[in-house]
Amino acid sequence: MSVWQLENHRYLVAVNATGAELSSIRDKFSGREWLWQPQPGVWNNSATQLFPVVGALVHDGVRVDGQFLPLPAHGFLRGQTFTCIEQSIKHLVLEARTTPETLGLWPWCWRVQLQLALHEDGLSVAQHVFNDDRQPFWYSIGWHPGFAMPVASKTGWHVMFGDKAVRGPFTTRNRTLVTEGQTQTTTSFPLTETSFRDGAIYFGDCQQQVRVCSPDGKTVMTLEMAEHDWLALWGVPGADLLCIEPLAGTTDAPDFDGNAENKRGIRQLAPGQSQAFRVRLRFAVDACAGD
């Protein structure tokens, strides 16, 4: 399997060809590995890409114009082989596109680029969706990175939202999500041993900065997003794992009728058009494994 690397004076980043999954973000100053390292029985990934759907599908697929399309949860992009179309020591562009296998699941010609750039204080990640078909298509997209943080080992970790309150928290049940009729908002979310007992927690209207704070109130990591409507937090009780997921779409509502145009957060892309979804990660300079 091909692995690409990016490096600057502070960070060393590794990306796998399968799914263009980041497998390492290592801080050379402190020796800290920021990304979760796969562990069977906990979570066996590090940073997966989600396309053309996000989350679980209560009907194991969706219907488009009366045609049922069977799809796995989170779609098929994480299993696709990406190729490199541009690379420098601090910049990388990877691409996957339609294959005969994906046409059997999703009968449109699509292309997704993952663009990565290293900065002095972190990393930029952009997913760019292209419609290479003659017809419009419905889609959702997301990024599902997991970060190695001692959220289970030490109490008091919390997530802070930016300048305005976000919708939520919305709790999942059996990988389904109900938001209709709920009006709660928040500016923070405490990470406790029961936070993810029932699954992921969703927040809406999250086009802003999100900060992960240690028990002493120090900002350890920030994530900024502008195009994603939703953010999900997820972890495994007892594990020092925190997934922070910028999403354009959500897992299904339990009463979802199966029609793609009614799926929460779904978007439509016209032929020849494209859409970028950008995320900016910043890490605290003095953060260390013992936070």
Side-chain angles (χ1 to χ4, degrees):
M1 179 178 65
S2 297
V3 177
W4 294 278
Q5 288 191 336
L6 299 175
E7 187 172 7
N8 62 12
H9 77 286
R10 182 178 169 192
Y11 295 107
L12 181 62
V13 172
V15 190
N16 294 332
T18 301
E21 182 170 9
L22 274 74
S23 59
S24 179
I25 304 175
R26 180 169 292 278
D27 188 325
K28 297 191 295 184
F29 288 3
S30 66
R32 177 173 185 162
E33 174 57 65
W34 282 97
L35 273 187
W36 171 261
Q37 298 303 291
Q39 291 186 25
V42 182
W43 190 49
N44 207 29
N45 290 97
S46 294
T48 55
Q49 295 196 73
L50 318 180
F51 174 85
V53 293
V54 165
L57 302 169
V58 295
H59 300 288
D60 297 320
V62 295
R63 283 189 301 274
V64 178
D65 297 329
Q67 179 185 1
F68 180 74
L69 306 175
L71 288 166
H74 291 324
F76 49 69
L77 188 61
R78 57 185 170 175
Q80 301 304 302
T81 300
F82 279 69
T83 58
C84 180
I85 61 173
E86 187 178 323
Q87 183 178 18
S88 68
I89 190 170
K90 299 178 184 178
H91 178 74
L92 181 67
V93 181
L94 304 178
E95 183 178 87
R97 58 174 64 220
T98 309
T99 68
E101 290 74 25
T102 66
L103 282 171
L105 298 171
W106 193 254
W108 295 279
C109 294
W110 57 271
R111 188 162 35 105
V112 172
Q113 290 181 359
L114 182 71
Q115 302 172 2
L116 303 171
L118 270 179
H119 305 282
E120 296 298 309
D121 59 354
L123 180 70
S124 293
V125 180
Q127 294 170 301
H128 206 158
V129 185
F130 299 82
N131 184 348
D132 293 335
D133 206 271
R134 296 181 179 179
Q135 300 294 326
F137 61 65
W138 297 100
Y139 75 101
S140 286
I141 193 166
W143 188 43
H144 189 325
F147 299 95
M149 295 187 181
V151 293
S153 299
K154 293 185 178 182
T155 60
W157 285 81
H158 53 285
V159 173
M160 299 292 296
F161 296 95
D163 296 331
K164 61 180 182 178
V166 298
R167 296 172 54 215
F170 303 115
T171 304
T172 52
R173 296 283 189 275
N174 298 319
R175 299 193 71 187
T176 65
L177 179 68
V178 175
T179 62
E180 290 71 21
Q182 300 189 50
T183 59
Q184 66 267 33
T185 62
T186 190
T187 57
S188 65
F189 183 76
L191 300 171
T192 71
E193 61 183 7
T194 61
S195 292
F196 307 117
R197 179 178 55 196
D198 296 318
I201 307 294
Y202 277 78
F203 302 86
D205 299 333
C206 290
Q207 298 95 331
Q208 58 179 307
Q209 184 184 88
V210 180
R211 296 186 292 124
V212 181
C213 301
S214 61
D216 63 3
K218 180 175 66 176
T219 297
V220 173
M221 188 188 85
T222 63
L223 181 150
E224 298 171 11
M225 57 190 205
E227 293 85 16
H228 300 84
D229 304 307
W230 294 88
L231 181 84
L233 301 177
W234 179 76
V236 176
D240 286 329
L241 162 67
L242 178 62
C243 292
I244 309 172
E245 308 170 36
L247 305 171
T250 77
T251 198
D252 279 356
D255 60 352
F256 173 53
D257 65 8
N259 292 309
E261 66 269 23
N262 297 327
K263 184 168 169 56
R264 185 192 295 116
I266 199 86
R267 302 191 180 206
Q268 191 174 55
L269 196 61
Q273 298 298 303
S274 64
Q275 174 68 55
F277 297 86
R278 292 171 283 260
V279 175
R280 180 73 157 86
L281 295 175
R282 290 182 170 88
F283 304 105
V285 172
D286 58 347
C288 64
D291 281 330

